[in-house]
Amino acid sequence: MLLGLNMMSLFKRNRFRIMYYVYNYCYCHRRIFNSDSFTYFQTFLKMSHTFTKATLTNNGIKTNWDSYMSFSETIDNPTKEQVIQNMLVIENFLSEEEELSLFKEVEPYMDKLHYEFDHWDDAIHGFRETERLMWNENNMKILQKVREVAFPSGSSQLSLVHVLDLAEKGFIKPHVDSVRFCGNTITGLSLLSDSVMRLVHEKKKENIIDVLLRRRSLYIMKNCARYDFTHEILSNENSKFNNYFVHKQRRLSVICRNEPPKIL
Ligand code: OGA
Ligand code: MN
C-alpha cells in the first residue's frame, strides 16, 4: 500500500518528465505510429506544458487552477489560457485567526445596517456594505499583504476598502465593475462562506467559467477576466461547481481595487 502511494507520488512529481520521454520515444519511432495519433499526442503535450507553466508561474504564485475553475466546453484554448493567467484564486490565503480579526472589526458597523432586498434593478440583491479607510494594526497588515500579492508594485490603488456583506439569500447579478472608478485589477477576500463566482464572456455568452471561491481564499481578477467577462455570485438555487452544490451562507467580501488610468 505504502509502496503504491510512493510510486504514485513519484509518478505525479515526474509526470511531465515521463511524458517528455514518451514523446521522444514516439518521435524516434514516429513511422510506426499513425500520424493522427502522433499529432494528437503532440498537441496534448504542448497544452499540458503551457497550462502547467501558466499554473506555476503566474505572478510567481502557485495555484492549481482546475481545483477552482471550471470552463464551458465552448471556450477555446487560447482564451482558456488567458483566463487562467488573469483569474487567480489563492486558497487559504487567510488563517482562521485573520478571518476572525477582519470580521470582528467590521461586524459592529455592519450589524447596524439592514440588508437591502427591494431594488429589483440593483446589481446586488440582499446586501449591506461599507467602505473603510482606517483599520486596526493587525488588519492593516493583512490588507497590505493582499495589496502586495495582487497589484504590481508602485501601482496606484484606491485606499478605501470595499466590504460587502451578502445575506444567505443574497446574490450578485452579472456586471462589469465601472471602468471610470476602477482600474484593471480587482481583488477580494472571501469570509464566512464558500460561494461560486461565474464569469460570462460579454460577446460570447456561451463562454462561461465558474470559479469556486472558498472561505478564506483571495481572488485576483484582472485584465481580460475583469474587462471582457461579466462576474456574478450565484444564488443558492444555482450555486453549483462541477455539478456539486455549494451552499452559500452569509458571506463577507473585502475588496481592494486599483485606480483607473488617468486618460479616461
Ligand atoms: C462587486 C463585486 C464580488 C465579491 O462588489 O462589484 O463584484 O466578491 N463583488 O463580493
Ligand atoms: Mn463587481
PDB file of all heavy atoms in Angstrom, residues 7 16 28 83 100 105 117 143 150 161 164 177 186 206 213 243 256 261:
ATOM      1  N   MET A   7       4.973   5.207  -5.191  1.00  0.00           N
ATOM      2  CA  MET A   7       5.102   5.126  -6.647  1.00  0.00           C
ATOM      3  C   MET A   7       4.230   6.179  -7.291  1.00  0.00           C
ATOM      4  O   MET A   7       4.613   6.840  -8.242  1.00  0.00           O
ATOM      5  CB  MET A   7       4.662   3.739  -7.145  1.00  0.00           C
ATOM      6  CG  MET A   7       5.581   2.607  -6.757  1.00  0.00           C
ATOM      7  SD  MET A   7       7.183   2.753  -7.534  1.00  0.00           S
ATOM      8  CE  MET A   7       6.763   2.234  -9.186  1.00  0.00           C
ATOM      9  N   PHE A  16       5.638  15.076 -16.088  1.00  0.00           N
ATOM     10  CA  PHE A  16       5.985  15.791 -17.317  1.00  0.00           C
ATOM     11  C   PHE A  16       7.295  15.287 -17.898  1.00  0.00           C
ATOM     12  O   PHE A  16       7.461  15.225 -19.101  1.00  0.00           O
ATOM     13  CB  PHE A  16       6.001  17.295 -17.077  1.00  0.00           C
ATOM     14  CG  PHE A  16       4.632  17.780 -16.753  1.00  0.00           C
ATOM     15  CD1 PHE A  16       4.292  18.150 -15.472  1.00  0.00           C
ATOM     16  CD2 PHE A  16       3.642  17.757 -17.728  1.00  0.00           C
ATOM     17  CE1 PHE A  16       3.001  18.519 -15.171  1.00  0.00           C
ATOM     18  CE2 PHE A  16       2.348  18.141 -17.445  1.00  0.00           C
ATOM     19  CZ  PHE A  16       2.017  18.516 -16.155  1.00  0.00           C
ATOM     20  N   CYS A  28      11.061   9.310 -32.129  1.00  0.00           N
ATOM     21  CA  CYS A  28      12.078   8.470 -32.769  1.00  0.00           C
ATOM     22  C   CYS A  28      11.431   7.340 -33.565  1.00  0.00           C
ATOM     23  O   CYS A  28      11.983   6.880 -34.556  1.00  0.00           O
ATOM     24  CB  CYS A  28      13.011   7.865 -31.724  1.00  0.00           C
ATOM     25  SG  CYS A  28      13.933   9.134 -30.878  1.00  0.00           S
ATOM     26  N   VAL A  83      -7.530  33.336 -19.438  1.00  0.00           N
ATOM     27  CA  VAL A  83      -8.304  33.426 -18.192  1.00  0.00           C
ATOM     28  C   VAL A  83      -7.520  32.828 -17.024  1.00  0.00           C
ATOM     29  O   VAL A  83      -7.514  33.386 -15.920  1.00  0.00           O
ATOM     30  CB  VAL A  83      -9.700  32.768 -18.347  1.00  0.00           C
ATOM     31  CG1 VAL A  83     -10.452  32.777 -17.024  1.00  0.00           C
ATOM     32  CG2 VAL A  83     -10.511  33.498 -19.403  1.00  0.00           C
ATOM     33  N   LEU A 100     -11.182  35.974  11.491  1.00  0.00           N
ATOM     34  CA  LEU A 100     -11.915  36.445  12.664  1.00  0.00           C
ATOM     35  C   LEU A 100     -11.572  37.899  12.974  1.00  0.00           C
ATOM     36  O   LEU A 100     -12.450  38.698  13.311  1.00  0.00           O
ATOM     37  CB  LEU A 100     -11.576  35.533  13.854  1.00  0.00           C
ATOM     38  CG  LEU A 100     -12.376  35.776  15.122  1.00  0.00           C
ATOM     39  CD1 LEU A 100     -13.852  35.468  14.881  1.00  0.00           C
ATOM     40  CD2 LEU A 100     -11.844  34.892  16.271  1.00  0.00           C
ATOM     41  N   GLU A 105     -13.690  43.415  13.232  1.00  0.00           N
ATOM     42  CA  GLU A 105     -13.600  44.861  13.038  1.00  0.00           C
ATOM     43  C   GLU A 105     -14.788  45.428  12.247  1.00  0.00           C
ATOM     44  O   GLU A 105     -15.235  46.530  12.509  1.00  0.00           O
ATOM     45  CB  GLU A 105     -12.275  45.257  12.356  1.00  0.00           C
ATOM     46  CG  GLU A 105     -12.118  46.768  12.328  1.00  0.00           C
ATOM     47  CD  GLU A 105     -10.715  47.273  12.088  1.00  0.00           C
ATOM     48  OE1 GLU A 105      -9.830  46.477  11.745  1.00  0.00           O
ATOM     49  OE2 GLU A 105     -10.520  48.496  12.255  1.00  0.00           O
ATOM     50  N   PHE A 117     -32.983  44.282  -0.068  1.00  0.00           N
ATOM     51  CA  PHE A 117     -33.501  43.242  -0.962  1.00  0.00           C
ATOM     52  C   PHE A 117     -34.389  43.805  -2.067  1.00  0.00           C
ATOM     53  O   PHE A 117     -34.655  43.151  -3.043  1.00  0.00           O
ATOM     54  CB  PHE A 117     -34.355  42.242  -0.158  1.00  0.00           C
ATOM     55  CG  PHE A 117     -33.543  41.190   0.554  1.00  0.00           C
ATOM     56  CD1 PHE A 117     -33.228  41.325   1.903  1.00  0.00           C
ATOM     57  CD2 PHE A 117     -33.087  40.071  -0.120  1.00  0.00           C
ATOM     58  CE1 PHE A 117     -32.490  40.355   2.558  1.00  0.00           C
ATOM     59  CE2 PHE A 117     -32.344  39.093   0.531  1.00  0.00           C
ATOM     60  CZ  PHE A 117     -32.041  39.237   1.870  1.00  0.00           C
ATOM     61  N   LEU A 143      -4.241  43.481   5.004  1.00  0.00           N
ATOM     62  CA  LEU A 143      -4.604  44.150   3.751  1.00  0.00           C
ATOM     63  C   LEU A 143      -3.367  44.545   2.943  1.00  0.00           C
ATOM     64  O   LEU A 143      -3.390  44.533   1.712  1.00  0.00           O
ATOM     65  CB  LEU A 143      -5.483  45.372   4.038  1.00  0.00           C
ATOM     66  CG  LEU A 143      -6.861  44.971   4.584  1.00  0.00           C
ATOM     67  CD1 LEU A 143      -7.601  46.160   5.151  1.00  0.00           C
ATOM     68  CD2 LEU A 143      -7.692  44.295   3.489  1.00  0.00           C
ATOM     69  N   ALA A 150      -1.562  41.235  -4.991  1.00  0.00           N
ATOM     70  CA  ALA A 150      -2.489  41.433  -6.113  1.00  0.00           C
ATOM     71  C   ALA A 150      -2.062  42.500  -7.113  1.00  0.00           C
ATOM     72  O   ALA A 150      -2.361  42.386  -8.300  1.00  0.00           O
ATOM     73  CB  ALA A 150      -3.873  41.762  -5.565  1.00  0.00           C
ATOM     74  N   VAL A 161     -11.274  50.509   1.208  1.00  0.00           N
ATOM     75  CA  VAL A 161     -11.512  49.077   1.011  1.00  0.00           C
ATOM     76  C   VAL A 161     -13.024  48.846   1.060  1.00  0.00           C
ATOM     77  O   VAL A 161     -13.712  49.353   1.945  1.00  0.00           O
ATOM     78  CB  VAL A 161     -10.802  48.259   2.123  1.00  0.00           C
ATOM     79  CG1 VAL A 161     -11.083  46.775   1.961  1.00  0.00           C
ATOM     80  CG2 VAL A 161      -9.308  48.524   2.099  1.00  0.00           C
ATOM     81  N   LEU A 164     -18.369  44.033   1.530  1.00  0.00           N
ATOM     82  CA  LEU A 164     -19.715  43.678   1.085  1.00  0.00           C
ATOM     83  C   LEU A 164     -20.206  42.467   1.871  1.00  0.00           C
ATOM     84  O   LEU A 164     -19.535  41.439   1.934  1.00  0.00           O
ATOM     85  CB  LEU A 164     -19.655  43.350  -0.408  1.00  0.00           C
ATOM     86  CG  LEU A 164     -20.975  43.019  -1.072  1.00  0.00           C
ATOM     87  CD1 LEU A 164     -21.846  44.266  -1.169  1.00  0.00           C
ATOM     88  CD2 LEU A 164     -20.731  42.468  -2.472  1.00  0.00           C
ATOM     89  N   ASP A 177     -17.429  45.816 -13.328  1.00  0.00           N
ATOM     90  CA  ASP A 177     -17.203  46.992 -12.477  1.00  0.00           C
ATOM     91  C   ASP A 177     -16.889  48.208 -13.354  1.00  0.00           C
ATOM     92  O   ASP A 177     -16.182  48.091 -14.364  1.00  0.00           O
ATOM     93  CB  ASP A 177     -16.030  46.751 -11.516  1.00  0.00           C
ATOM     94  CG  ASP A 177     -16.441  45.844 -10.358  1.00  0.00           C
ATOM     95  OD1 ASP A 177     -17.420  45.081 -10.490  1.00  0.00           O
ATOM     96  OD2 ASP A 177     -15.763  45.894  -9.315  1.00  0.00           O
ATOM     97  N   ILE A 186      -9.067  43.760  -9.666  1.00  0.00           N
ATOM     98  CA  ILE A 186      -9.997  43.704  -8.529  1.00  0.00           C
ATOM     99  C   ILE A 186      -9.594  42.481  -7.716  1.00  0.00           C
ATOM    100  O   ILE A 186      -9.441  41.390  -8.272  1.00  0.00           O
ATOM    101  CB  ILE A 186     -11.446  43.523  -9.026  1.00  0.00           C
ATOM    102  CG1 ILE A 186     -11.837  44.688  -9.954  1.00  0.00           C
ATOM    103  CG2 ILE A 186     -12.426  43.405  -7.856  1.00  0.00           C
ATOM    104  CD1 ILE A 186     -13.075  44.420 -10.772  1.00  0.00           C
ATOM    105  N   GLU A 206     -21.992  32.070 -24.431  1.00  0.00           N
ATOM    106  CA  GLU A 206     -21.875  30.638 -24.133  1.00  0.00           C
ATOM    107  C   GLU A 206     -20.539  30.330 -23.453  1.00  0.00           C
ATOM    108  O   GLU A 206     -20.337  29.240 -22.927  1.00  0.00           O
ATOM    109  CB  GLU A 206     -22.085  29.789 -25.401  1.00  0.00           C
ATOM    110  CG  GLU A 206     -21.008  29.901 -26.478  1.00  0.00           C
ATOM    111  CD  GLU A 206     -21.094  31.179 -27.336  1.00  0.00           C
ATOM    112  OE1 GLU A 206     -21.871  32.093 -27.002  1.00  0.00           O
ATOM    113  OE2 GLU A 206     -20.344  31.262 -28.330  1.00  0.00           O
ATOM    114  N   LEU A 213     -15.041  30.059  -5.001  1.00  0.00           N
ATOM    115  CA  LEU A 213     -14.374  30.945  -4.038  1.00  0.00           C
ATOM    116  C   LEU A 213     -14.551  30.342  -2.660  1.00  0.00           C
ATOM    117  O   LEU A 213     -15.616  30.481  -2.038  1.00  0.00           O
ATOM    118  CB  LEU A 213     -15.001  32.347  -4.078  1.00  0.00           C
ATOM    119  CG  LEU A 213     -14.923  33.097  -5.408  1.00  0.00           C
ATOM    120  CD1 LEU A 213     -15.593  34.458  -5.285  1.00  0.00           C
ATOM    121  CD2 LEU A 213     -13.480  33.247  -5.859  1.00  0.00           C
ATOM    122  N   ASN A 243     -21.098  20.497 -10.941  1.00  0.00           N
ATOM    123  CA  ASN A 243     -22.273  19.699 -10.547  1.00  0.00           C
ATOM    124  C   ASN A 243     -22.419  19.452  -9.054  1.00  0.00           C
ATOM    125  O   ASN A 243     -23.335  18.763  -8.639  1.00  0.00           O
ATOM    126  CB  ASN A 243     -22.317  18.357 -11.275  1.00  0.00           C
ATOM    127  CG  ASN A 243     -22.749  18.554 -12.703  1.00  0.00           C
ATOM    128  OD1 ASN A 243     -23.498  19.504 -12.992  1.00  0.00           O
ATOM    129  ND2 ASN A 243     -22.280  17.708 -13.589  1.00  0.00           N
ATOM    130  N   CYS A 256     -10.321  45.046  -2.660  1.00  0.00           N
ATOM    131  CA  CYS A 256      -9.431  46.178  -2.976  1.00  0.00           C
ATOM    132  C   CYS A 256      -9.377  46.340  -4.498  1.00  0.00           C
ATOM    133  O   CYS A 256      -9.402  45.345  -5.228  1.00  0.00           O
ATOM    134  CB  CYS A 256      -8.010  45.917  -2.481  1.00  0.00           C
ATOM    135  SG  CYS A 256      -7.880  45.711  -0.712  1.00  0.00           S
ATOM    136  N   PRO A 261      -6.815  54.199 -15.252  1.00  0.00           N
ATOM    137  CA  PRO A 261      -5.803  55.067 -15.870  1.00  0.00           C
ATOM    138  C   PRO A 261      -6.340  56.495 -15.977  1.00  0.00           C
ATOM    139  O   PRO A 261      -7.546  56.695 -16.169  1.00  0.00           O
ATOM    140  CB  PRO A 261      -5.614  54.456 -17.265  1.00  0.00           C
ATOM    141  CG  PRO A 261      -6.448  53.235 -17.324  1.00  0.00           C
ATOM    142  CD  PRO A 261      -7.268  53.122 -16.088  1.00  0.00           C
TER     143      PRO A 261
END
